[in-house]
């Protein structure tokens, strides 16, 4: 794992509680993106590395990254990994509210 990838995992913690683990991971990563700690183009560690470092299931990491992708915060390309997506500014017009409900269809 490269130094940028290990920095990604620094201080990232998952706590037992009422909130699902995948949701905690979504919140932790989206918070780092919002704060500027993770910049557009930053490469996230491989899913297996994240799962191993946090002691969680690979499927949980995959679900969290899928939600982040649906929210437009990250982009995943097979063979290239997952990177932080460029964020649109407020002057870009309407943007749908994020949803991790797979059955929701945005008709805006």
């Amino acid at each position: 794992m490269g130094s940028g990838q290990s920095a990604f995992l620094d201080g990232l913690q998952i706590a037992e509680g009422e909130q699902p683990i995948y949701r905690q991971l979504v919140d932790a990563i989206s918070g780092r993106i919002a704060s500027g700690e993770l910049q557009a183009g930053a490469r996230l560690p491989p899913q297996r590395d994240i799962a191993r470092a946090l002691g969680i299931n690979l499927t949980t990491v995959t679900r969290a990254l899928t939600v982040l992708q649906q929210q437009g915060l990250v982009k995943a390309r097979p063979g290239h990994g997952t990177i932080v997506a460029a964020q649109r500014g407020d002057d870009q017009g309407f943007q749908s509210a994020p949803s991790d409900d797979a059955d929701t269809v945005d008709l805006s």
Side-chain angles (χ1 to χ4, degrees):
M1 207 172 357
S3 63
Q5 291 180 350
S6 63
F8 166 83
L9 293 168
D10 287 348
L12 197 61
Q13 295 179 0
I14 302 299
E16 289 192 32
E18 291 184 23
Q19 191 175 34
I21 294 172
Y22 86 93
R23 191 74 236 171
Q24 291 181 51
L25 187 55
V26 167
D27 292 347
I29 295 172
S30 63
R32 289 180 178 203
I33 293 170
S35 73
E37 188 177 339
L38 284 174
Q39 302 275 327
R43 185 173 309 280
L44 274 56
Q47 293 181 28
R48 290 184 192 284
D49 291 351
I50 296 171
R52 190 177 313 114
L54 297 176
I56 60 178
N57 189 295
L58 177 61
T59 304
T60 302
V61 176
T62 300
R63 184 173 183 189
L65 293 181
T66 298
V67 171
L68 290 165
Q69 215 175 339
Q70 291 170 342
Q71 294 176 352
L73 296 175
V74 300
K75 292 182 181 183
R77 291 184 25 212
H80 297 287
T82 304
I83 61 166
V84 176
Q87 303 303 302
R88 293 190 274 180
D90 292 339
D91 59 345
Q92 294 291 323
F94 177 80
Q95 186 174 6
S96 178
S99 172
D100 60 350
D101 183 355
D103 296 326
T104 300
V105 177
D106 182 1
L107 298 175
S108 57

